[in-house]
Amino acid sequence: MKPLIIGIAGGTGSGKTTLVNRLLEQFGEDISVLPHDSYYAAHHELTLEERQALNYDHPASFDTHRMIQDLRDLKAGKAVQCPVYDYTIYDRTDETVTLSPNKVILVAGILIFENKELRDLLDIKIFVDTDADVRILRDVKERGRSLESVVNQYLSTVKPMHDQFVEPSKRYADVIVPEGGKNLVALMIIQRIAYHIEHGDIVSEQ
């Protein structure tokens, strides 16, 4: 069976993880998740202070080329070694996690629709659309950060990069999901995945 590859994009704190977790709860072992965040570029040569000052919302902060190759391998039925990123040290570790091919592969990240080569590997493209004030509050609540630190980062890097790269990529979406998937559109996605898992329908070549 060819895997069904679904891209889930949206701004920071938009609810991508909520949607991913909902699909995992529904389908469990039939789904593998490939997070773009795991492919943040390594910066072992920089000090912690220098790494903390980097802009992590720009496309150049990701090793997207490696992610594209890993996704191609998964699509071809090969297992891959997914890198592990450690947010506490703002750097990639030397560890990897084995990710096996599966019936459905979820690719999640804020910038996955920005890169055409990556975008063309996706069978279904979903954009989770959430207001900025909701995303900021969610960032404070879920990551345990102060409102001041989140707002400062939002104004200095997150908002400019969102406006320049994330929001324009929404036009490539096949489906726009408000508020992280708690609606009928998400139900349609669940039905589509269930059909693929049960019938193994052939997805058109990209």
Side-chain angles (χ1 to χ4, degrees):
M1 177 191 295
K2 281 189 59 177
L4 179 67
I5 302 178
I6 301 176
I8 301 177
T12 298
S14 60
K16 297 182 297 298
T17 301
T18 300
L19 181 54
V20 167
N21 287 339
R22 184 174 181 185
L23 296 177
L24 284 172
E25 289 170 6
Q26 187 78 23
F27 301 106
E29 61 183 19
D30 289 320
I31 287 183
S32 293
V33 181
L34 190 67
H36 202 190
D37 284 4
S38 295
Y39 291 83
Y40 274 121
H43 289 291
H44 304 323
E45 77 283 1
L46 301 179
T47 65
L48 175 60
E49 186 177 51
E50 290 171 331
R51 293 196 298 270
Q52 289 174 324
L54 294 175
N55 179 358
Y56 289 94
D57 293 274
H58 191 280
S61 65
F62 294 92
D63 186 1
T64 303
H65 176 76
R66 175 173 174 175
M67 184 182 190
I68 290 170
Q69 185 55 57
D70 284 352
L71 186 54
R72 290 188 188 279
D73 286 343
L74 287 169
K75 195 170 185 177
K78 305 173 185 175
V80 301
Q81 296 300 315
C82 184
V84 175
Y85 187 83
D86 187 341
Y87 292 95
T88 65
I89 62 171
Y90 294 82
D91 205 358
R92 185 189 294 178
T93 71
D94 294 329
E95 300 176 3
T96 59
V97 173
T98 301
L99 189 65
S100 300
N102 215 332
K103 296 175 182 178
V104 179
I105 299 170
L106 300 182
V107 181
I110 62 173
L111 292 167
I112 60 171
F113 295 168
E114 185 274 335
N115 183 290
K116 183 180 186 304
E117 188 177 0
L118 176 56
R119 192 168 67 236
D120 287 347
L121 291 173
L122 308 174
D123 298 305
I124 300 175
K125 296 178 286 294
I126 301 168
F127 190 95
V128 183
D129 202 13
T130 304
D131 290 342
D133 54 350
V134 176
R135 292 190 285 111
I136 291 174
L137 291 174
R138 188 173 290 157
D139 212 19
V140 173
K141 180 180 179 181
E142 295 183 358
R143 302 190 182 185
R145 299 170 54 190
S146 70
L147 179 59
E148 181 181 7
S149 70
V150 170
V151 170
N152 286 341
Q153 184 180 15
Y154 175 78
L155 293 175
S156 63
T157 60
V158 176
K159 185 181 188 302
M161 296 300 97
H162 181 91
D163 292 344
Q164 184 176 354
F165 298 109
V166 182
E167 187 66 24
S169 75
K170 183 166 68 175
R171 69 181 183 270
Y172 300 114
D174 301 306
V175 181
I176 296 176
V177 180
E179 291 296 327
K182 299 177 182 178
N183 51 66
L184 291 176
V185 177
L187 179 60
M188 291 170 58
I189 296 165
I190 288 172
Q191 292 173 337
R192 175 66 182 86
I193 293 174
Y195 182 88
H196 177 81
I197 290 173
E198 182 178 352
H199 298 281
D201 59 331
I202 299 175
V203 179
S204 61
E205 291 287 348
Q206 297 290 340

